Amino acid sequence: RVSWDRLQPPPNLLDRGWKIFEEVDSTNEPLGSNSIQVRVKRGVDVLEEASRMVAQLDLFSRNEELEEIATADLKYLLLPALLGALIMKQTSRDKRLEIVQTARDYFMDFLRRCREYNISQFKLPNPTNANTNLVSMGAQRQAKIERYRQKKLLEARLSDMRRAVDSGQADDEVSRDFYLLNVQRWITVCLEEIESIDQEVEILGKMDVLRQCPVKQPIRPSHHPIKPFILTKDAVQAQVFGAGYPSLPTMTVDDWYEQHRKHGALPDQGIPRKVAAKEDTDVQEMEEEEKEKKAENDDEESLLKARNWDDWKDTHRKGYGNRQNMG
C-alpha cells in the first residue's frame, strides 16, 4: 500500500466534494436551477478525481481488518456514497434512468465495502426488480423504521463531535469515532436510497412501455354539417320571394315534413299505430264515462230538487209568502 505522504494527498478533493454536497442538499434554491446543477457537476468531477487517486494508491484491501485502516484514511470510505448522492441530484429527464442506475452502483459499492470491514450489521439489497412478497414487504418496513431511528441517533452524536473535529481539537480516538459514525449513518442513507431507486426504476420502465405502445384514440363518427334553410309556406312563395339571402337554400313546409318523415324525425314516428289507436279509444271511453257520471249526477240533483219542491207545496198553501196582494 502507498501512503499519502509519498504522493500528493487528495484530502482537499474529498473535503471540497463533501462540502458541495452538503450545500446542495441544504439549499433552498430550486434543484433544477442552472447554478445548482453546475455545482453538482463540479462536485461529481471532484469526487471522481479523488476516487481515481484512491484506487491508484490501493488504499483499501480485502485482506485487512477495520482496525488496520488509519484514522486519516477512514473518511475515504465515504467516496462512493457521496458520489451516488450527488449524482442523484442531477435533474436531466432524458437521462433519468441512467442517473439512478449509476447512483445505485455507487451505493452498492459503498455497502459491499462496509460489509467487508464489518462496520455495521445489515443485509445487502436484492438485485434490481427482484420479486417481493407480503412477508418481505413487512420486513422491509420494519427495517426502514429501525434505520430511521438509528440515523437520528447517529446524527445527534455527530452534531456534538463535528465541532471538535472541524476545529482540529479532536484527538485520534474522537476523530476515528467521528468518521466511523459518518460511515454508519451513510449506510442507512444508502439503503433508503436504493429502495427508492428500485421503485423509481420500475415506474420508469412502465412509462417507457407506455411510450412505445401509445393508446389508440377512439374513432369518432363523422357528422355532416347542418346546412341552414328558411321555411316558406309553399313552393310558389319560395320561387317568388326566396329566402332573402341568395346563399341560403329554401324549403317549403311540405318539403320539410317529407324530409323529416324519411329520416324518422317526426314527433309521432316510431310509435306503433295500434298503440296510438288504442290510446285514442281509451281516451274516448274515458270521456264517455265522464259524461255518464255527469248525467247521473245531474239527474240525481234534479230529482232531489223536485222532491223538495213537492214537500214544500204540501206544507204551504198556494200564495204563501206573496205579500203584494195583502189588503
Side-chain angles (χ1 to χ4, degrees), residues 51 58 80 107 166 199 235 269 279 296 317 326:
S51 299
D58 194 18
F107 291 143
D166 292 344
Q199 295 175 357
Q269 283 186 302
E279 291 178 353
E296 292 176 0
R317 60 185 179 84
M326 295 181 62

Side-chain angles (χ1 to χ4, degrees), residues 299-313:
D299 293 341
E300 291 178 358
E301 186 177 356
S302 301
L303 182 61
L304 181 60
K305 287 182 179 180
R307 288 178 179 177
N308 290 335
W309 176 248
D310 293 337
D311 293 339
W312 190 86
K313 289 193 296 182

